[in-house]
Amino acid sequence: MEIENHYINRSGWLRAAVLGANDGILSTTSLAIGVAAASVTREPILLAAVAGLAAGALSMAAGEYVSVSSQADVETADLKREKLELQNRPESELEELTLIYIQRGLNKALARQVAIELTAHDALGTHARDELGINEITKANPLMAAFASAASFIIGGLLPLLVAIFAPLKEMVVYQYGFSILFLALSGILAAKAGGSHTLKAVLRICIWGTFAMAMSALVGYLFGVQTT
């Protein structure tokens, strides 16, 4: 029998990678648009894009590592607590597992038998999966999440940086917006394909919110920027 491939297997790295790429595109573009709206030279735009790219990648990596590490700490603490309960209150834990299976649709006798057999096979693993919702697929991996976030942020942020280098200065805001929407739409399509979700919904969601963020950045630049010749 052929083993099915499920999209949930990709959830850990996919979330971090999509978030990083989108943030790289949107953050760097918004910075470039804000500065472009307030400047008549290219140098400040490039400086803002490069600084935003470097700071954003490090910030994403650090934030993702700390966040996922905290999740991993909680999972580890819960597993230690569950291990102690299995040692000190095995019958109570067996009843708890039986109740879980009853709530999932098994009759009491079958639920009890399943709980007994799974406990004999791997008590801690069974409780981690069925009581705590922890398994190898969704288990927190701080280093993987941090690397995926930083790498994808850099990839995403390089795109608006290239626009800042090559786009005509007078139409910089228009070019940044146009290309960023294209990049964001492509990111949404790739994320939807990788995750097996609805493509149009993913693209609309990211483009609408991206447009709002960039519009606010441009508004700030036009209102508070000092245009000099």
Side-chain angles (χ1 to χ4, degrees):
M1 177 184 292
E2 184 179 353
I3 298 176
E4 295 181 2
N5 291 320
H6 293 283
Y7 295 111
I8 190 63
N9 298 341
R10 308 169 182 173
S11 62
W13 63 264
L14 182 60
R15 181 188 67 85
V18 170
L19 178 62
N22 292 343
D23 202 20
I25 295 169
L26 192 53
S27 297
T28 310
T29 300
S30 295
L31 279 172
I33 285 178
V35 175
S39 177
V40 293
T41 60
R42 190 180 300 273
E43 287 75 13
I45 305 172
L46 293 177
L47 178 60
V50 171
L53 180 59
L58 293 174
S59 177
M60 286 290 292
E64 195 71 22
Y65 182 83
V66 170
S67 175
V68 179
S69 292
S70 298
Q71 179 185 341
D73 290 342
V74 171
E75 290 177 354
T76 300
D78 279 344
L79 288 174
K80 287 182 178 178
R81 187 179 301 111
E82 194 65 30
K83 186 175 181 179
L84 287 175
E85 290 178 353
L86 285 169
Q87 293 174 349
N88 300 328
R89 301 164 46 200
E91 187 59 34
S92 176
E93 289 299 302
L94 186 62
E95 290 297 332
E96 189 173 21
L97 201 59
T98 301
L99 180 59
I100 290 173
Y101 297 142
I102 291 174
Q103 292 173 343
R104 291 183 181 179
L106 299 182
N107 62 60
K108 185 174 182 180
L110 182 56
R112 176 78 176 185
Q113 185 62 30
V114 170
I116 291 173
E117 292 190 16
L118 288 178
T119 297
H121 175 69
D122 181 8
L124 183 59
T126 300
H127 279 270
R129 180 183 64 252
D130 294 333
E131 181 184 349
L132 304 177
I134 300 173
N135 56 61
E136 290 301 319
I137 293 176
T138 59
K139 193 173 182 181
N141 189 324
L143 287 177
M144 178 183 292
F147 177 79
S149 292
S152 56
F153 187 98
I154 292 172
I155 293 172
L158 282 174
L159 300 175
L161 176 59
L162 291 174
V163 175
I165 294 172
F166 296 108
L169 186 58
K170 290 184 179 181
E171 293 84 26
M172 180 63 71
V173 172
V174 175
Y175 272 84
Q176 284 287 353
Y177 173 76
F179 277 102
S180 68
I181 287 297
L182 180 63
F183 298 149
L184 288 172
L186 179 60
S187 172
I189 292 171
L190 292 176
K193 294 296 184 182
S197 57
H198 194 277
T199 302
L200 181 59
K201 184 184 294 186
V203 171
L204 287 176
R205 181 171 53 218
I206 193 171
C207 288
I208 290 172
W209 284 105
T211 296
F212 178 77
M214 288 181 283
M216 292 299 100
S217 298
L219 182 62
V220 169
Y222 282 122
L223 290 178
F224 300 102
V226 178
Q227 296 278 351
T228 58
T229 56

